[in-house]
Amino acid sequence: MVFVVLTTYFFLYTQVNSKKENESKKIWVPPKPKPTLPFGLGPAPEPIKIEDFEATNYKEYEVKLLKEGVQAVLMSGGISFMMSMKFSPMPLLIQSVMIPITMSENLVLRKYLFGITKNAEGNNLYNESFTAPTAADVAALNAAAAAAAATTDGNSIN
């Protein structure tokens, strides 16, 4: 299964590199949300700053996403292999199901194999913008993150 997934990632890498228009269009991508504890436990999430946005182009960003995906596959496959050598083959069975599921969540795969260009909210797939972020954009993102955190902390449920 790892071989099939890595072959798919290589195919996606060739697709990304074959698109010449990906190199010229500059985009700004917001940072990934930092993991937080559920139910409002732990510190409040840090607000997003303008400096946190990544100025890049499509090719560089998509190659970065593919590298993250390959690294995740190799790490989970390697750990499962080592565990199966020491204990039982059950981790390999579990990873043979989990690795394709994890790969299906990769945004580059969704774009190039499935043709999906919008996310569930109707925004661009990578939440990218084509202009530099402004203070108003950052304030709107921080307000949305605060509202989402307020609904998960349990205080808003009566």
Side-chain angles (χ1 to χ4, degrees), residues 7-137:
T7 304
T8 305
Y9 276 131
F10 178 73
F11 172 74
L12 291 171
Y13 180 77
T14 58
Q15 291 294 313
V16 167
N17 282 331
S18 68
K19 303 278 186 185
K20 295 298 178 193
E21 65 269 8
N22 286 351
E23 297 177 11
S24 62
K25 193 166 200 170
K26 188 161 187 162
I27 59 172
W28 282 265
V29 182
K32 290 183 181 180
K34 294 185 173 112
T36 58
L37 295 172
F39 309 116
L41 300 173
E46 297 177 15
I48 298 172
K49 299 182 281 288
I50 292 179
E51 301 85 37
D52 294 339
F53 280 78
E54 181 180 354
T56 184
N57 59 32
Y58 278 112
K59 181 178 179 179
E60 291 174 1
Y61 188 68
E62 289 171 346
V63 167
K64 176 184 163 193
L65 290 177
L66 287 173
K67 285 181 181 179
E68 289 173 1
V70 167
Q71 183 179 17
V73 167
L74 292 176
M75 286 298 292
S76 63
I79 290 171
S80 297
F81 178 74
M82 295 306 262
M83 286 177 62
S84 70
M85 297 293 286
K86 184 70 176 174
F87 302 112
S88 74
M90 191 57 71
L92 287 178
L93 178 65
I94 292 170
Q95 287 302 315
S96 68
V97 175
M98 290 304 299
I99 287 176
I101 292 172
T102 304
M103 184 188 72
S104 69
E105 296 171 356
N106 192 307
L107 297 176
V108 179
L109 177 111
R110 290 181 181 186
K111 179 179 179 181
Y112 286 96
L113 286 186
F114 302 137
I116 299 172
T117 58
K118 302 283 184 190
N119 61 15
E121 292 85 31
N123 300 328
N124 294 331
L125 188 61
Y126 307 127
N127 290 327
E128 75 271 19
S129 63
F130 303 109
T131 58
T134 62
D137 296 335

